[in-house]
Amino acid sequence: MKIFGIGRNYVEHIKELENETPDEPIVFIKPDTAILKNNAPFYYPEFSQDVHHEVEIVVRIGKEGKKIDEKFAHKYYDQVGLGIDFTARDIQQRNKPKSLPWAIPKGFDGSAPVSELLPVEQFPDMQNINFELQVNGETRQKGNTSLMIFKINFLVAYLSKFFTLKKGDLIYTGTPKGVGPVKIGDRLTASIENQTLLDFEVK
Ligand code: MG
């Protein structure tokens, strides 16, 4: 399975990192070894001193497709949940001016915790879903999918121009504002429409 990440998909997050708004989605891929399931703890990697949380809506591809028309894109994902796109910000910031890829700062082991996934039928409007991340009980990030620059159906269609989407692939759809560092001992809890789906520790 593939894990797609979308960078800079919320205006307020672009501002906080002083990045430019993209004309097209910024796409990266994490390997399957990045996945953490069942609220397994996240082990802080020794190669970074500045790992940031990025809470994101995750959609799961439900059937194979390529060159999908945006009109039909909704038929190609069947589940939705929450993920953390952990980012070694120190390494990413060092790589950026040199235009080096994000494979290490975004793809390292355990960098993609993902929650239990819920059927899309539970969400009448995919572009109006509230979600939130708390660290040690304090709200750090709050978002709504209406604030995405590139909407979910567009992202599915766009990705399928370049990559065959397969059942089980995941798309991390971008993070709202409020990203920040985590440290050993932190407890991260994330909810979608007030339903807590993620609850794990940094060790
Ligand atoms: Mg992200």
Side-chain angles (χ1 to χ4, degrees):
M1 55 94 77
K2 303 185 282 301
I3 307 161
F4 295 103
I6 305 298
R8 303 180 200 166
N9 204 20
Y10 288 82
V11 172
E12 294 296 323
H13 169 62
I14 293 170
K15 284 186 194 160
E16 73 184 348
L17 292 187
E18 298 178 345
N19 283 319
E20 279 174 30
T21 305
D23 302 324
E24 290 191 60
I26 295 180
V27 177
F28 56 92
I29 286 184
K30 292 179 186 249
D32 58 4
T33 41
I35 286 283
L36 281 184
K37 282 184 178 168
N38 304 317
N39 288 319
F42 170 73
Y43 287 92
Y44 203 103
E46 74 286 350
F47 49 76
S48 175
Q49 276 71 53
D50 194 27
V51 172
H52 280 203
H53 56 75
E54 297 189 356
V55 69
E56 313 200 355
I57 292 287
V58 174
V59 298
R60 176 200 182 261
I61 297 300
K63 66 171 176 178
E64 185 165 320
K66 62 197 296 183
K67 297 181 184 162
I68 299 164
D69 193 308
E70 192 180 341
K71 285 200 295 288
F72 304 117
H74 65 279
K75 295 172 186 270
Y76 287 84
Y77 52 91
D78 59 356
Q79 294 179 344
V80 60
L82 288 170
I84 308 290
D85 168 22
F86 274 125
T87 304
R89 195 72 74 201
D90 44 357
I91 301 176
Q92 188 194 35
Q93 298 294 22
R94 277 204 300 274
N95 286 4
K96 258 185 206 169
K98 293 181 258 175
S99 297
L100 293 172
W102 294 354
I104 290 171
K106 287 214 178 254
F108 62 89
D109 281 357
S111 61
V114 65
S115 73
E116 163 201 353
L117 299 169
L118 306 171
V120 286
E121 292 76 23
Q122 238 174 278
F123 300 89
D125 183 357
M126 287 295 290
Q127 294 304 153
N128 185 14
I129 299 175
N130 290 297
F131 60 107
E132 182 175 341
L133 172 72
Q134 296 191 341
V135 179
N136 305 323
E138 197 177 286
T139 300
R140 290 273 190 91
Q141 291 189 266
K142 233 179 166 162
N144 183 288
T145 54
S146 64
L147 301 172
M148 286 179 176
I149 297 170
F150 302 107
K151 310 295 186 202
I152 294 165
N153 289 345
F154 179 87
L155 291 173
V156 168
Y158 182 83
L159 289 170
S160 78
K161 286 203 270 187
F162 310 99
F163 306 97
T164 300
L165 303 184
K166 288 191 157 182
K167 186 173 176 167
D169 288 351
L170 299 177
I171 307 172
Y172 282 60
T173 57
T175 197
K177 71 172 173 185
V179 302
V182 296
K183 57 183 191 317
I184 291 170
D186 281 349
R187 181 169 177 189
L188 276 66
T189 49
S191 57
I192 187 165
E193 295 295 350
N194 295 320
Q195 185 179 352
T196 301
L197 292 185
L198 275 177
D199 184 357
F200 67 93
E201 259 182 87
V202 179
K203 289 194 172 177

